[in-house]
Amino acid sequence: MALERTYLDWNATAPLCDEARFAMIVALSLPGNASSVHGEGRAARAALEKARRSVARLVGAEPAHVIFTSGATEASNHVLVPEFRMGRAALKIGALYVSAIEHPAIREGGRFASENVHEIPVTAEGVVDLAALEAMLAAHDRNSGLPMVAVMLVNNETGIVQPVAEAAKLAHAVGGLMVVDAVQAAARIAVDINALDADFLIISSHKIGGPKGVGALVTRGEVLMPKPLIRGGGQEKGHRSGTENFFAIVGFGAAAELAFTELDERRDRISSLRARLEEGMRGSAPDVIIHGADVERVSNTCFFTLPGLKSETGQIGFDLEGIALSAGSACSSGKVGESHVLTAMGRDPKLGGLRISLGPATTEADIDRVIAAFAKVAGRRRLDGQAA
Ligand code: PLP
């Protein structure tokens, strides 16, 4: 009999929601190119613009300020660039300041030369150190160009919410730009580009129940724009050429629409599931360390360390129990690396971390299964310890 599976790796990717699936099936029958002026083209354009409105609403932006991309990584590479335009005038960005806990999509620095990318430290609690950022910005050489700051709204490993609006204030006080990776925040907490005082937001469809391979760079206005990454036929008002990934964009829009409508209900329900989970975990292993438990976290993420348990061993142990979770920093090869987030928090990365991330489809029964599996894995760890 096949083992029943429980998927608790929603921060890696969310299963496609039914609304996105259905919207894409309908869109598959639309033959036109959204750039064509005939009826078929206009029908495709209407579906594309509907998706744009839904995505914009999820992050409090104007639809005209949503640029569809192939995902958050492309959006990052688009916006993290020294060459900008302010209307018709060229604008130079001299250096990029990124938090030490950014996803590699940001941390790699996009199109900046590596010597112009500087890391902002985080506190032991996993929160961006604003005093350090302020000092770095004070030391920024304005002759090289303006500074750009990139801080994520929610960390993908710990779920910790970052002080983005405060960081934006510091960036703007010295005439700099603020870029926010809201990939793990969208659909989990209310996101508003204006309230965050961000110049640019980055979001990804597959983290919110839409298809993979589509995302967006959302801008605050239309005057200050980065040099395009992909040039050609001038789609997306010249900011991202190439025929749009139409079906995926339609699915992204449907997922965004649903996430916006269900935001509060999802957050409350998932937060009580996580409380049940963490209580169960502490019950069977009181020494479990839950990272970020004392600071503000999104409700769906639980990143923990079980002393004496390696991430790889833990991940395999849970997988054998039918539970899909992840080590905080699984790289694309599937190899488990040391967590740069734990390192940045000053913790021993060799301790390893495991991440359970919940989603809208997670049930109490799923949580009870993971609590039971956790007790087994934690128990075996003790036995291993005694044998050693
Ligand atoms: N930023 C964060 C915080 C992420 O979690 C991810 C995906 O893991 C990305 C960026 C990259 O997103 P995409 O897969 O759309 O390129």
Side-chain angles (χ1 to χ4, degrees), residues 11 71-73 103 105 152 154 156 181 183-184 204 206-207:
N11 286 11
T73 303
H103 186 277
M152 65 200 328
V154 168
N156 47 302
D181 173 350
V183 166
Q184 298 286 347
S204 178
H206 72 105
K207 309 285 182 174

